[in-house]
Amino acid sequence: MTSPATIRNPVEDHMLTPDNAALVIIDFQPVQVASIVTMERRQLVANVVAVARTAQLYGLPIVLSTVNVKTGRNQPTIHQITEVIPDAVPIDRTSINAWEDADFASAVRATGRRKLIMVALWTEVCLVFPALDALKEGFEVYPVVDAVAGTSQCAHAAGLDRIMQAGATPITWIQLACELQRDWAREATVPGFAEIVFAAIHP
């Protein structure tokens, strides 16, 4: 067998690892989910749940944010996500750009992780704005492109183009899971990995 006897430094690795990345989930609320048109909604929910389950499996810090729940203008995070990450306390905001909320930005910084895996609704707004600010602050941003969606194909594509031109690195949910697992010799997470992957591929 050619698997390495020791893994690369999991904090300094240029790729995503359970020790150098955090997950940021922004505004997966009923109104936002209902308004997207760039992918089938059940598939979107299945994919973002796979992302959340993956983060839980590998012990990633998770920052969860909502907008306008306390004002009564919006509903909380969809239950499919909160059931997977029950310990994540949502940071509610009024700002459209999550990064302009001091509590949100502080929570991201407090993870101590410089690689941010990001999912948000809508792509063109609630993903783009904090991603641009995080990039400017020196974070690496990894939008999960098949777990985000927008209000039109044009808006979604333009949003992704904008943050990629600014330096974001696009990934998919299954790429994320495989990158965190990396080696079948890491047996502790193999059963959970298989369950997440095959549940999402064959719901």
Side-chain angles (χ1 to χ4, degrees):
M1 296 199 308
T2 57
S3 293
T6 58
I7 61 172
R8 300 194 305 226
N9 185 306
V11 175
E12 298 177 0
D13 199 325
H14 68 100
M15 295 176 68
L16 295 168
T17 78
D19 296 289
N20 68 15
L23 173 64
V24 179
I25 303 175
I26 302 172
D27 299 352
F28 272 81
Q29 297 164 256
V31 168
Q32 282 91 330
V33 173
S35 64
I36 63 99
V37 301
T38 55
M39 72 182 298
E40 200 275 323
R41 292 166 194 163
R42 285 177 297 181
Q43 188 64 61
L44 170 70
V45 171
N47 289 359
V48 76
V49 166
V51 170
R53 291 184 68 193
T54 298
Q56 280 286 78
L57 176 64
Y58 294 97
L60 270 60
I62 299 172
V63 178
L64 175 66
S65 187
T66 55
V67 65
N68 268 333
V69 174
K70 291 179 182 176
T71 64
R73 296 177 181 144
N74 209 345
Q75 295 175 296
T77 303
I78 58 173
H79 70 89
Q80 293 93 332
I81 292 175
T82 57
E83 288 169 1
V84 171
I85 52 171
D87 296 329
V89 178
I91 299 167
D92 193 51
R93 336 172 307 276
T94 58
S95 61
I96 295 174
N97 177 3
W99 205 268
E100 293 185 73
D101 182 89
D103 291 338
F104 173 87
S106 295
V108 174
R109 296 180 191 116
T111 67
R113 309 296 177 87
R114 302 304 296 176
K115 298 179 187 293
L116 304 181
I117 301 154
M118 296 185 73
V119 292
L121 294 180
W122 304 314
T123 307
E124 60 269 29
V125 179
C126 297
L127 174 65
V128 167
F129 296 169
L132 290 173
D133 273 341
L135 287 163
K136 188 163 184 66
E137 196 168 311
F139 289 89
E140 298 175 40
V141 174
Y142 297 80
V144 187
V145 295
D146 55 355
V148 296
T151 58
S152 74
Q153 293 290 350
C154 180
H156 172 75
L160 289 178
D161 283 348
R162 185 177 179 187
I163 59 175
M164 282 185 260
Q165 288 173 20
T169 303
I171 58 172
T172 64
W173 73 262
I174 196 162
Q175 184 181 33
L176 170 64
C178 291
E179 195 160 338
L180 293 175
Q181 177 62 37
R182 200 83 66 81
D183 192 331
W184 298 118
R186 302 171 191 175
E187 295 181 357
T189 50
V190 168
F193 170 89
E195 184 182 352
I196 292 167
V197 169
F198 293 117
I201 292 176
H202 303 291

